[in-house]
């Protein structure tokens, strides 16, 4: 049976920090508004905040910075993640309106488990003091547009018995690669000399801030989205000379366990019923029921004649 806690227990904290993907659910207050669910999976973007010390003091800010690689030991009551650039802005818009958020983790390997973190969320866009404190330039990833902070008031477990197994292969590089290219354009443009500009340098560079301004200002229901990020004066990194490399993904690789063909489906159904215990008993019942229908049909015809 599922359990609920008013915090994130230490054993769940440890398990969460090993996961490669999580899901975020939010919704507007509008009765007919769009409920949103977003998958998140970029490496080193999710962080658990250490709980307050026993003496009630606040945790050290240095322990909250992203990219430290250190795991939190002990229980927690807050988490945050680095929100990466996308074509939508639903989560940010909903949190700005009402703060409601649920984060879900699912076990795709090992013992089955589902963890939900129910909380109240806050948005710290790039260019705000809170963002800079949590993600200074040397910790920020390309494409990062905000920090989503969640104060967790309830953590719940459930079985996850029906969730299939999946093998983790590797992270996708596409978002990082495209974002780094877009941010590099803005970095290069901001570092042009006056002479280069006077000689007709690039004007209106289509950088990531223009993307934010074009696609991230409003949600599907017209709620405000980004309000600070696209006008922020925070300089981007010089990714070209940073030593970081995000090569193209091999998108031709497919799962070895793809959907079964029509020829396989009957066999799969029969194998289910031919299994042990309940499967064998159920198959006998179905066969007996079918035989009964055939006999009843024959008897009915004979009586009519």
């Amino acid at each position: 049976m599922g359990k609920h806690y008013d915090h994130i227990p230490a054993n769940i904290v440890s398990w969460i920090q090993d996961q490669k993907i999580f899901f975020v659910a939010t919704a507007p207050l509008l009765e007919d508004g769009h409920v949103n669910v977003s998958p998140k999976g970029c490496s080193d973007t999710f962080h658990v905040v250490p709980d307050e010390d026993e003496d009630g003091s606040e945790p050290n800010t240095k322990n909250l910075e992203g990219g430290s690689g250190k795991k939190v030991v002990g229980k927690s009551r807050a988490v945050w993640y680095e929100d990466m650039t996308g074509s939508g802005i639903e989560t940010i818009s909903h949190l700005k309106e009402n703060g409601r958020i649920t984060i879900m983790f699912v076990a795709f390997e090992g013992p089955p488990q589902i963890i939900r973190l129910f909380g109240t969320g806050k948005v710290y866009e790039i260019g705000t003091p809170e963002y800079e404190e949590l993600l200074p330039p040397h910790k920020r990833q390309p494409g990062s547009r905000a920090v989503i902070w969640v104060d967790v008031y309830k953590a719940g477990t459930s079985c996850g018995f029906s969730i299939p197994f999946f093998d983790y292969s590797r992270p996708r590089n596409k978002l990082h690669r495209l974002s780094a290219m877009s941010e590099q354009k803005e970095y290069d443009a901001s570092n042009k000399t006056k002479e280069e500009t006077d000689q007709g340098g690039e004007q209106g560079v289509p950088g990531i801030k223009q993307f934010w301004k074009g696609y991230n200002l409003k949600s599907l229901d017209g709620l405000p989205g980004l309000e600070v990020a696209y006008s922020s004066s925070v300089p981007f990194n010089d990714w070209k000379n940073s030593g970081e490399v995000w090569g193209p993904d091999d998108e031709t690789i497919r799962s070895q366990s793809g959907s079964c063909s029509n020829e396989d489906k009957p066999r799969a159904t029969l194998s289910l019923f031919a299994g042990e215990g309940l499967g064998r008993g159920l198959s006998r019942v179905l066969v007996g029921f079918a035989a009964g229908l055939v006999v009843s049909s024959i008897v009915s015809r004979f009586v009519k004649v």
Side-chain angles (χ1 to χ4, degrees):
M1 296 294 291
K3 296 181 179 180
H4 291 91
Y5 310 87
D6 64 356
H7 61 279
I8 312 174
N11 63 312
I12 294 179
V13 167
S14 176
W15 181 81
I16 282 176
Q17 293 176 109
D18 289 332
Q19 303 311 301
K20 301 294 191 298
I21 186 172
F22 60 98
F23 302 86
V24 176
T26 58
L29 296 178
L30 285 170
E31 193 172 297
D32 59 349
H34 293 78
V35 177
N36 185 67
V37 180
S38 294
K40 308 289 183 181
C42 288
S43 300
D44 298 323
T45 55
F46 191 87
H47 307 274
V48 178
V49 180
D51 203 7
E52 293 182 354
D53 296 332
E54 292 183 2
D55 61 2
S57 62
E58 293 292 332
N60 192 321
T61 303
K62 292 182 180 179
N63 293 332
L64 305 184
E65 287 186 4
S68 64
K70 296 180 180 179
K71 288 190 175 183
V72 172
V73 179
K75 65 180 181 179
S76 174
R77 298 177 189 273
V79 298
W80 64 274
Y81 68 87
E82 190 173 5
D83 186 65
M84 308 300 284
T85 294
S87 57
I89 199 69
E90 300 303 294
T91 301
I92 285 178
S93 293
H94 297 163
L95 290 182
K96 287 187 174 184
E97 184 200 38
N98 57 67
R100 300 178 303 176
I101 186 171
T102 298
I103 299 176
M104 183 177 74
F105 294 87
V106 179
F108 293 110
E109 60 183 12
Q113 181 163 243
I114 296 175
I115 301 295
R116 292 179 178 86
L117 306 180
F118 304 91
T120 302
K122 304 170 187 174
V123 179
Y124 301 133
E125 296 180 39
I126 183 173
T128 63
E130 295 87 350
Y131 180 98
E132 301 304 318
E133 183 177 8
L134 293 169
L135 285 174
H138 65 285
K139 299 287 188 181
R140 177 185 174 274
Q141 301 192 48
S144 174
R145 62 187 178 184
V147 161
I148 304 299
W149 179 284
V150 180
D151 292 309
V152 178
Y153 61 80
K154 182 181 292 185
T157 68
S158 56
C159 66
F161 289 173
S162 66
I163 304 302
F165 288 96
F166 285 100
D167 292 327
Y168 176 75
S169 176
R170 62 194 178 285
R172 288 184 186 267
N173 291 328
K174 195 165 190 175
L175 178 60
H176 282 75
R177 188 165 60 89
L178 295 178
S179 296
M181 291 170 59
S182 184
E183 291 184 10
Q184 188 68 44
K185 291 180 181 179
E186 295 206 15
Y187 175 88
D188 292 342
S190 64
N191 285 277
K192 283 184 179 296
T193 64
K194 183 177 185 301
E195 289 75 16
E196 290 174 320
T197 302
D198 291 341
Q199 292 172 6
E202 290 182 278
Q203 300 294 321
V205 177
I208 198 166
K209 289 183 180 179
Q210 285 190 322
F211 180 88
W212 292 339
K213 197 170 184 179
Y215 293 93
N216 292 168
L217 295 188
K218 290 185 178 181
S219 72
L220 293 172
D221 299 305
L223 297 173
L226 293 181
E227 299 172 291
V228 176
Y230 61 86
S231 59
S232 167
S233 59
V234 175
F236 291 122
N237 289 330
D238 181 11
W239 297 115
K240 188 167 53 181
N241 298 306
S242 67
E244 298 280 359
V245 178
W246 296 279
D249 296 311
D250 183 357
E251 298 176 349
T252 63
I253 295 178
R254 296 289 184 269
S255 170
Q256 298 297 320
S257 60
S259 59
C260 61
S261 64
N262 290 332
E263 294 180 358
D264 293 332
K265 288 179 181 177
R267 190 180 304 124
T269 303
L270 289 175
S271 66
L272 171 65
F273 290 131
E276 297 181 0
L278 179 62
R280 281 202 296 263
L282 183 58
S283 65
R284 293 192 186 103
V285 171
L286 292 175
V287 171
F289 180 72
L293 289 177
V294 173
V295 172
S296 297
S297 176
I298 294 174
V299 171
S300 176
R301 288 184 179 182
F302 180 76
V303 171
K304 287 182 179 180
V305 172

